[in-house]
Amino acid sequence: MNQSNPVRVRFAPSPTGRMHLGSARTALYDYLLARRLGGQFILRIEDTDRKRFVPGAEQELIEGLRWLGLHYDEGPDIGGPYGPYRQTERQEIYLRWANELVERGHAFYCFCPPDRLEKVRQEQLKNKQPVRYDGTCRHLDPDEARRRVRAGERHVIRFKMPYEGETRAVDALRGEIVWQNRDLDDAILLKSDGLPTYHLAAMADDYEMKITHVIRGSEWLSTFPLHVNLIRALGWPEPVWIHLSVFLKPSGKGKMSKREAAAALNDGYSIFIKDLKELGYIPEGVLNWIVLMGWGVAEDDVMTLEEMVQRFDIRNLNPAPAAINFSKLDHFNGTHIRRLPADDLARRIKPYFERAGYSVDDTLLLRIVPLIRERLVTLDDCLPFAGWFFKDNVTPAPETLVPKGLTPAEAASVARRVYDLLAALPEITHASAEPPLRALVEALGLTPNQVFGLLRVAVTGQAVSPPLFESMELLSRETILARVQNAIALLERM
Ligand code: GLU
């Protein structure tokens, strides 16, 4: 691509539902391609299907893109030189091109009532013929058709597909595809409500917005020949076409369904971007997971968005279906969490503590981060591991204080020995406390698990925590002693 023809890639979602993995992956590839080639990334909202319109869907898309860090150069909320970027605001453009197609003999007015079309369809199905428009209005006298339109008769505009020969087009992942024109349909371009179908609107916008690469789902392969015929009829330049692979459900058998999506949520996963955010996944992890579903990278596959941009190449995209694998999501999320600078991770987990009702001391939080980061798969894992740091008191269930193999009375006496030992230390640190406590374990003829387990529950209130001695270092001497004292009292009352 040269200077006069800069790369322009658009993400063109329909606001018909929630933003899911499929839309996020398309947007990501759009972004990577545009950034890789120094071009522009554009957001266009394809909202002409008013029956399937979902209020709030556009906002969720915009927020999803923002959260993922896929910043676009032009879009409905920020404008740009080729706006408006919502199709319902571009109606006259489509009308103009629909008329142009009729004028040039590539499209025709169709007055067929829906019930007649339905009868034709049933008939074709019964006779095992291809289902397609039967051509009735295609052969109307153009003047007669125009007169009926002017008289206000209800109509649509259909594309005049060539009946003979073949259509050839190239998909960058699949190579050349050939269709027999007799198998193609006279698709509707402009509906009776005056709104365009996807076919006309998307092609006209891609032309008007000077789009150079179209990345879209493979569900558009079946109407791909219509799109190229339409573009060619108007003599428009053809973009590079890329039809992505489909997603399969985790079992690899079949496409993701509503039921599967609900099942995933039960397991703490989701195919929706907003849910993933709420479940404690970080954009870095989600992006890394998504980018590899259809892109084969040979080397290390842990990448930041910036690294993806450097390495992205459409020649490595894979048209084979990609099965959703949530354990990979966990893997990438944990990996990217561990790569975050401590202050960044602290900033991201802070809201989870606050939402749980803790008042968070930033200095303490920053010191907790190195103790827990290895164990976090999602951000909200910070709560069970480290929530206790922000509690004034911990109240373990007494029985959890009793080590395996000991009676409560024996446990109480162990706790007293531990207390005396700690109370004798001027400062309780990892270095000052561990060696004498290990000696105590020996002297008592117990195992480290028994003694340290008791101490852990006494100090943290729970059986699973970050490393015990490092954790104790973050607490004051008084707090530690008070908690052991409290444990002794609990054990004595058992
Ligand atoms: N609005 C279409 C969809 O959401 C976009 C397809 C395309 O990118 O051209 O499937």
Side-chain angles (χ1 to χ4, degrees), residues 373-425:
R373 64 143 49 103
E374 292 300 318
R375 315 212 19 198
L376 300 185
V377 173
T378 51
L379 292 176
D380 56 351
D381 288 341
C382 68
L383 262 188
F385 285 141
W388 61 270
F389 274 110
F390 301 104
K391 289 185 182 163
D392 293 332
N393 299 302
V394 296
T395 40
E399 61 280 7
T400 62
L401 286 161
V402 183
K404 251 211 185 92
L406 301 190
T407 64
E410 287 164 341
S413 106
V414 172
R416 278 191 292 271
R417 296 289 297 270
V418 170
Y419 180 88
D420 292 342
L421 188 155
L422 293 174
L425 298 174

Side-chain angles (χ1 to χ4, degrees), residues 10 12-14 26 44 46 198 202 206 214-217 219-220:
R10 88 295 189 283
S14 300
T26 304
R44 180 174 78 217
E46 303 206 321
Y198 166 80
D206 288 346
V214 169
I215 303 181
R216 59 183 186 177
E219 68 271 24
W220 297 109

